[in-house]
């Protein structure tokens, strides 16, 4: 487990439907036994029960030894913290220990074909029937839904109420009768995104998180966890030197000196400098949070800028590859180059998923700058 | 590493902010310009700034200073920047005092630094030459051995506060050819000496500089500051530190311009509504905000590196200067555009920020120059 991760495929997302190599399973088991897949969660729910300071020591020691985290995913970064904060005692007992052990892979049922940026206009309906809700409708962009064991989702429980007020936050077992999942093929080829259809799916009332019709405020609380998780996405260790410079040396100019193409050299510098500014902003956000200050306004720019920067980076890699960026399949096509081209195609979604860049700018204008509606 | 301000730093920022508000205003800046004030700033305010300990802020206590760092200096420079204060911090505290601190002999330190910290001595650095653009190593001014000393000959330009400086540090070539890193020596001269011609000039942002002609100015060995022939490296170290101070000033100025613009977006009505309701303007305001926050992070990261004397500090100075140059210009350009016609008038203050943005961008290297420098420092 000291082998560096090479791609998303090496990550362990847990869950019952996915097969992992024996060493990955063993590592997960060893870590989960100590609660170290979720070091700061309470021991009574299977967590590590460590203080933030001690969890930091653990993370540093693992990094020093070059150890992989044993488990990834929205269960650890989003739904787990949310349930610990907002869930009922019964919900915590039922779900948190299973998340710690990596037994349940979770997916997020938010977007719908007709509710993207305008999420509050969602139409998937949940109608009360005895001790259950009966769910009908469709979700889209549900990452890993085809591998997931559980889904947390937003459904409309009061069609008469104003947009944001008739929504309920539900937990749903993916094995429930009436759930159908269809993977979506993206422009880069395969993807882990899916469409999920609900036909008269029964969801027990005990699976409501928070109040009935109070789901919008739960969704907002979840956003806070999502934002801090996004922060972690951009911390990419690059011990082997800057891959942009290495690529330029391979494809443009093999010398050890100044990169021969001044335009490429300047574009690399712009990206590196912007990466540095973003890293400093992430550190600023993290340190302010640690010092007990509320997330400062600087945290609201992370999703917007991080996405845009990664997209510019991928554009530059394509420019450096030049004609080598074009191959897709066939003999003589370098699979490393195809992978980079697919990464570029995938990156076009960065400014769309998790709230488009335009929505992020709206949020900054409204919440931070106080510009009028 | 800390991006969280200490109690002391927050207090310092508060004090500096209150000081700028009570002693200055954009009206004062306008009056200094319109009255063609010979000094270009207020000596009374400068004296008060010295009493507050800001002029000698970076100097050790033995030299009469407060032994503070660049993160502390940022608290003061940012507030001075908000008010577009023209008092000679850049020339005297950041260029002059740093030159003597980093390169000066015991005797030079004792003679100059306490007087600088008390606000009694203004020191300028004459390093730029008409043919060199931003490069401190392009030095055509020569120093030739003459008797037991040297004779300086050449032309310097854009010497910040050179018109009032009591002492001027001059870079001169003692060997090598025009752009060599090696072979430059720094000399400290008194502008009243024979052969020194100081010509006062006003820049686009109404700050005052001097162009200086040196015609066989005789100086002796004691005028040399730092290691002879190695003035190029000393200059780089001085300019890195001065750039840090300038970046903090720019950060304050861009924030003030942005706040002015934001207020206008909320109050100016067209088509019956505040223009800040239009998404075309909202998004640009949000992007501008993002750029300013990233610039702030870059300045803080740079200051930490300087305060901890980390090896990569010079590269981070370039990151901060590029960030601040680009963000300040964007804030000023957008400021004028969003104000519409009134933004083009001399009567409105936003134009002062546009002019300062241009001048600050061109001081100590513009964005393109710093990007090239960064690539060189990083070895590609």
């Amino acid at each position: 487990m000291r082998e560096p991760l090479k791609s998303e495929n090496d990550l362990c997302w847990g869950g019952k439907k996915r097969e992992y190599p024996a060493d990955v399973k063993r590592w997960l088991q060893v870590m989960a036994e100590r609660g170290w897949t979720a070091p700061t969660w309470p021991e009574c729910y299977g967590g590590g029960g460590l203080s933030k300071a001690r969890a930091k020591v653990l993370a540093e020691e693992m990094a020093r030894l070059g150890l992989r985290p044993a488990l990834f995913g929205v269960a650890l970064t989003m739904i787990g913290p949310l349930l610990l904060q907002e869930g009922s005692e019964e919900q915590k007992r039922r779900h948190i220990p299973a998340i710690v052990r990596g037994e349940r892979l979770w997916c997020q049922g938010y977007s719908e074909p007709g509710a993207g940026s305008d999420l509050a206009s969602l139409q998937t309906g949940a109608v009360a029937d005895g001790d259950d809700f009966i769910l009908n409708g469709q979700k889209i962009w549900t990452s890993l839904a085809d591998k997931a064991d559980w889904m947390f989702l937003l459904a409309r429980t009061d069609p008469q109420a104003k947009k944001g007020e008739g929504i309920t936050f539900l937990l749903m077992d993916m094995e429930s009768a009436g759930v159908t999942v269809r993977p979506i093929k993206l422009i880069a080829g395969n993807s882990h995104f899916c469409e999920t259809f609900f036909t008269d799916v029964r969801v027990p009332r005990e699976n409501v998180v928070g109040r009935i019709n109070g789901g919008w405020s739960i969704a907002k609380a979840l956003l806070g966890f999502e934002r801090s998780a996004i922060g972690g996405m951009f911390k990419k260790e690059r011990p082997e030197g800057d891959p942009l410079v290495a690529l330029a040396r391979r494809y443009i100019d093999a010398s050890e000196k100044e990169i021969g193409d001044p335009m490429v050299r300047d574009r690399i510098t712009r990206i590196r400098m912007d990466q540095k500014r973003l890293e400093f902003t992430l550190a600023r956000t993290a340190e302010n949070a640690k010092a007990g200050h509320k997330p400062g306004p600087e945290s609201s720019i992370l999703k917007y800028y991080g996405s845009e920067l990664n997209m510019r980076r991928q554009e530059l890699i394509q420019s450096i590859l030049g004609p080598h960026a074009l191959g897709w399949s066939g003999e003589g096509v370098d699979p490393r180059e195809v992978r980079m081209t697919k990464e570029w195609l995938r990156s076009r979604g960065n400014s769309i998923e998790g709230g488009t860049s335009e929505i992020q700018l709206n949020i900054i204008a409204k919440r931070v700058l106080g510009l009028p509606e | 590493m800390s991006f969280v301000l200490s109690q002391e730093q927050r207090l310092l920022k508060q004090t500096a902010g209150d000081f700028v508000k009570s002693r200055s205003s954009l009206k004062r800046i306008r009056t200094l310009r319109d009255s063609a004030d010979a000094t270009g700033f207020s000596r009374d305010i400068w004296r008060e700034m010295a009493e507050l300990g800001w002029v000698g802020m970076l100097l050790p206590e033995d030299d009469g200073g407060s032994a503070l760092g660049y993160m502390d200096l940022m608290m003061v420079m940012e507030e001075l920047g908000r008010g577009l204060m023209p008092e000679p911090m850049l020339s005297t505290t950041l260029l002059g005092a740093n030159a003597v601190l980093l390169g000066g002999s015991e005797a030079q330190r004792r003679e100059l630094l306490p007087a600088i910290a008390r606000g009694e001595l203004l020191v300028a650095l004459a390093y730029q030459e008409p043919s060199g653009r931003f490069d401190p190593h392009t030095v055509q001014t020569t120093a030739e051995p003459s008797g037991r000393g040297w004779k300086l000959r050449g032309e310097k330009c854009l010497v910040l506060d050179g018109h009032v400086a009591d002492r001027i540090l001059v870079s001169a070539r003692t060997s090598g050819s025009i752009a060599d890193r090696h072979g430059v020596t720094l000399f400290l001269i008194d502008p009243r000496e024979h052969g020194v011609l100081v010509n006062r000039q006003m820049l686009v942002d109404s700050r005052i500089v001097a162009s200086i002609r040196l015609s066989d100015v005789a100086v002796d060995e004691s005028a040399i500051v730092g290691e002879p022939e190695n003035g190029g490296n000393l200059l780089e170290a001085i300019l890195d530190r001065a750039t840090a101070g300038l970046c903090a000033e720019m950060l304050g100025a861009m924030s003030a311009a942005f706040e002015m613009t934001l207020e206008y977006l909320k109050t100016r009505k067209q088509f019956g509504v505040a223009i800040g309701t239009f998404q075309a303007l909202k998004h640009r305001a949000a992007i501008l905000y993002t750029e300013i926050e990233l610039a702030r992070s870059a300045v803080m990261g740079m200051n930490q590196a300087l305060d901890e004397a980390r090896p990569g500090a010079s590269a981070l100075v370039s990151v901060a200067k590029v960030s601040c140059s680009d963000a300040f210009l964007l804030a000023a350009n957008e400021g004028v555009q969003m104000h519409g016609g009134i933004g083009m008038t001399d009567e409105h203050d936003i134009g002062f920020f546009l002019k300062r943005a241009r001048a600050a961008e061109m001081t100590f290297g513009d964005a393109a120059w710093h990007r090239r420098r960064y690539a060189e420092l990083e070895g590609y």
Side-chain angles (χ1 to χ4, degrees):
Chain A
M1 286 302 105
R2 295 193 187 193
E3 288 280 298
L5 297 164
K6 280 184 216 73
S7 76
E8 281 200 353
N9 295 331
D10 287 346
L11 302 178
C12 174
W13 303 89
K16 288 197 285 279
K17 297 182 195 166
R18 270 193 131 174
E19 271 307 310
Y20 297 98
D23 55 346
V24 171
K25 281 198 283 196
R26 174 89 186 111
W27 179 228
L28 173 61
Q29 190 196 339
V30 167
M31 289 295 279
E33 274 167 14
R34 289 161 181 76
W36 285 357
T37 45
T40 60
W41 293 5
E43 274 173 295
C44 59
Y45 304 120
L50 300 183
S51 65
K52 275 190 184 168
R54 298 187 66 181
K56 196 172 159 233
V57 173
L58 175 64
E60 282 165 2
E61 284 305 303
M62 285 182 60
R64 204 173 53 79
L65 294 169
L67 294 171
R68 291 180 191 182
L71 185 62
F72 283 88
V74 293
L76 286 178
T77 55
M78 291 168 69
I79 191 67
L82 180 89
L83 286 179
L84 283 171
Q85 186 180 298
E86 309 282 344
S88 67
E89 187 55 36
E90 201 272 328
Q91 286 167 347
K92 288 183 206 173
R93 297 224 167 269
R94 185 164 177 208
H95 293 292
I96 301 291
I99 290 174
V100 173
R101 291 193 299 268
E103 289 168 4
R104 282 179 199 161
L105 201 161
W106 284 75
C107 62
Q108 176 180 18
Y110 269 32
S111 296
E112 297 179 5
S117 287
D118 182 13
L119 182 61
S121 70
L122 58 92
Q123 292 301 322
T124 291
V127 180
D129 181 59
D131 287 340
D132 296 335
F133 280 98
I134 296 178
L135 200 62
N136 277 289
Q138 180 191 351
K139 294 288 176 185
I140 194 166
W141 310 126
T142 38
S143 308
L144 294 169
D146 53 340
K147 307 285 190 308
D149 305 290
W150 279 75
M151 173 189 276
F152 58 93
L153 63 104
L154 295 173
R156 188 161 299 287
T157 35
D158 183 354
Q160 314 306 327
K162 273 198 283 177
K163 267 204 317 195
E165 287 168 16
I167 292 173
T168 300
F169 192 102
L170 295 168
L171 310 176
M172 186 197 76
D173 189 337
M174 291 295 283
E175 297 296 305
S176 313
V179 178
T180 326
V181 177
R182 192 177 72 87
I184 302 169
K185 187 175 173 181
L186 295 188
I187 48 178
N190 287 333
S191 85
H192 59 245
F193 288 107
C194 300
E195 284 178 292
T196 308
F197 302 88
F198 313 110
T199 313
D200 294 329
V201 178
R202 287 198 165 265
V203 179
R205 218 175 249 269
E206 69 208 31
N207 288 0
V208 172
V209 180
R211 257 181 339 96
I212 291 170
N213 294 331
W216 195 242
S217 62
I218 301 288
K220 273 197 222 161
L222 192 75
L223 255 177
F225 298 118
E226 185 174 26
R227 193 185 281 169
S228 51
I230 285 171
M233 277 171 30
F234 307 106
K235 281 184 208 156
K236 284 187 184 147
E237 298 270 329
R238 299 204 171 90
E240 73 291 355
D242 187 348
L244 289 179
V245 173
L247 277 180
R249 297 258 184 254
R250 180 157 13 124
Y251 287 94
I252 292 176
D253 171 15
S255 81
E256 286 295 302
K257 294 184 294 235
E258 218 171 276
I259 292 168
D261 184 332
M263 298 302 282
V264 167
R265 186 180 185 229
D266 192 63
R267 283 174 71 190
I268 289 176
T269 304
R270 285 170 189 266
I271 298 284
R272 286 171 60 115
M273 286 188 160
D274 288 344
Q275 179 74 32
K276 202 81 218 163
R277 306 187 313 157
L278 181 63
E279 279 167 21
F280 283 147
T281 307
L282 284 163
R284 213 175 124 200
T285 313
E287 286 185 24
N288 272 306
K290 217 183 288 168
H293 300 294
K294 273 196 203 152
E298 69 275 5
S299 61
S300 61
I301 68 178
L302 296 178
K303 160 62 171 86
Y304 164 71
Y305 198 75
S307 309
E308 299 288 331
L309 178 57
N310 187 47
M311 291 160 80
R312 277 167 48 213
R313 182 186 185 83
Q314 296 299 333
E315 290 284 329
L316 175 55
I317 289 172
Q318 293 290 295
S319 296
I320 294 173
L321 291 179
H324 294 275
L326 299 178
W328 189 261
S329 67
E331 203 183 331
V333 173
D334 186 336
R336 289 175 305 177
E337 290 163 1
V338 177
R339 204 178 307 130
M340 286 189 268
T341 296
K342 288 187 172 177
E343 268 188 51
W344 157 65
L345 285 165
R346 175 64 189 85
S347 76
R348 299 316 300 170
N350 293 162
S351 55
I352 301 169
E353 59 207 326
T356 63
S357 283
E358 288 74 17
I359 288 291
Q360 303 302 329
L361 293 174
N362 282 351
I363 291 172
I364 296 170
K366 183 180 171 185
R367 304 235 182 97
V368 184
L369 305 181
L371 286 170
E373 295 270 356
Chain B
M1 276 286 259
S2 180
F3 288 90
V4 183
L5 299 185
S6 69
Q7 196 69 39
E8 291 80 9
Q9 284 165 342
R10 266 179 286 168
L11 191 69
L12 185 58
K13 190 171 162 64
Q14 180 73 45
T15 310
D18 292 345
F19 178 81
V20 171
K21 269 187 224 107
S22 68
R23 300 296 191 284
S24 186
S25 65
L26 294 177
K27 197 159 166 261
R28 176 179 81 101
I29 308 305
R30 183 180 291 275
T31 308
L32 283 170
R33 178 195 71 176
D34 294 344
S35 62
D37 187 277
T39 310
F41 61 88
S42 155
R43 288 190 185 268
D44 288 339
I45 290 180
W46 182 244
R47 205 168 301 121
E48 277 190 86
M49 287 168 63
E51 280 160 17
L52 283 162
W54 298 344
V55 176
M57 217 167 161
L58 301 166
L59 301 174
E61 288 173 3
D62 284 350
D63 292 314
S66 329
L68 293 173
Y70 284 85
M71 194 65 98
D72 306 304
L73 180 84
M74 176 187 178
M75 304 298 115
V76 174
M77 289 304 291
E78 197 184 335
E79 294 303 318
L80 297 177
R82 280 181 165 275
L84 297 176
M85 301 276 281
E87 277 63 33
M89 287 291 281
L90 282 183
S91 57
T92 296
T93 299
L94 284 151
L95 294 170
N98 261 324
V100 179
L101 179 67
L102 297 171
S105 64
E106 259 316 296
Q108 286 166 335
R109 287 173 67 136
R110 247 177 297 139
E111 186 206 337
L112 303 166
L113 294 180
I116 288 174
R118 286 195 301 272
E120 292 162 8
L121 196 75
L122 299 177
V123 184
L125 175 69
Y127 76 97
Q128 251 177 310
E129 299 196 356
S131 66
R133 281 178 73 88
F134 303 116
D135 180 25
H137 304 296
T138 301
V139 178
Q140 275 184 295
T141 297
T142 54
E144 282 173 14
S146 159
R148 289 174 50 198
W150 302 81
K151 269 205 164 96
L152 308 183
R153 188 183 302 155
E155 266 186 68
K156 295 289 175 179
C157 62
L158 296 166
V159 181
L160 302 178
D161 300 313
H163 65 304
V164 287
D166 303 298
R167 298 282 192 286
I168 299 176
L169 285 140
V170 176
S171 59
R173 188 156 289 287
T174 37
S175 71
S177 57
I178 174 165
D180 284 354
R181 286 183 74 96
H182 194 73
V184 171
T185 305
L186 286 192
F187 295 87
L188 185 73
I189 66 168
D190 186 328
R192 288 163 300 189
E193 273 171 72
H194 189 71
V196 182
L197 186 74
V198 175
N199 173 45
R200 180 184 183 281
Q201 292 171 330
M202 184 156 115
L203 301 186
V204 60
D205 60 345
S206 62
R207 298 231 178 154
I208 316 292
V209 299
S211 63
I212 295 176
R213 176 174 300 233
L214 305 161
S215 313
D216 291 330
V217 180
V219 293
D220 62 30
E221 289 285 338
S222 68
I224 292 178
V225 174
E227 205 187 318
E229 305 279 87
N230 202 15
N233 287 333
L234 179 56
L235 272 177
E236 293 236 348
I238 300 165
L239 288 171
D240 270 354
R241 285 156 181 77
T243 305
L246 174 63
C247 285
E249 184 206 314
M250 294 166 84
L251 196 59
M254 71 178 86
S255 304
F258 180 53
E259 282 158 27
M260 189 182 278
T261 305
L262 204 53
E263 186 57 30
Y264 194 75
L265 291 178
K266 291 175 187 178
T267 49
R268 167 71 173 171
K269 289 211 162 100
Q270 286 289 273
F271 306 102
V273 291
I275 59 173
T277 57
F278 302 139
Q279 200 175 42
L281 296 184
K282 272 185 184 174
H283 281 188
R284 278 160 55 188
I287 289 168
L288 179 51
Y289 170 80
T290 304
E291 289 297 326
I292 294 174
E293 285 305 317
L294 288 162
R296 177 172 297 282
S297 302
V299 172
M300 294 180 99
M302 162 189 69
N303 287 336
Q304 287 169 4
L306 283 172
D307 285 339
E308 291 166 16
R310 268 189 264 142
S314 289
L316 292 181
V317 168
S318 285
V319 174
K321 185 60 172 40
V322 168
S323 257
C324 288
S325 292
D326 288 348
F328 192 6
L329 276 169
L330 184 67
N333 287 339
E334 289 287 60
V336 170
Q337 175 66 23
M338 291 182 187
H339 276 85
I342 191 79
M344 286 298 293
T345 65
D346 183 62
E347 183 194 342
H348 200 281
D349 288 333
I350 193 73
F352 278 83
F353 289 93
L354 178 64
K355 291 169 178 172
R356 182 64 192 141
R358 178 60 69 206
E361 179 215 14
M362 299 287 184
T363 304
F364 310 144
D366 66 1
W369 188 84
H370 274 284
R371 281 199 299 271
R372 268 200 306 278
R373 175 180 184 253
Y374 178 90
E376 263 164 45
L377 287 170
E378 295 285 297
Y380 63 89

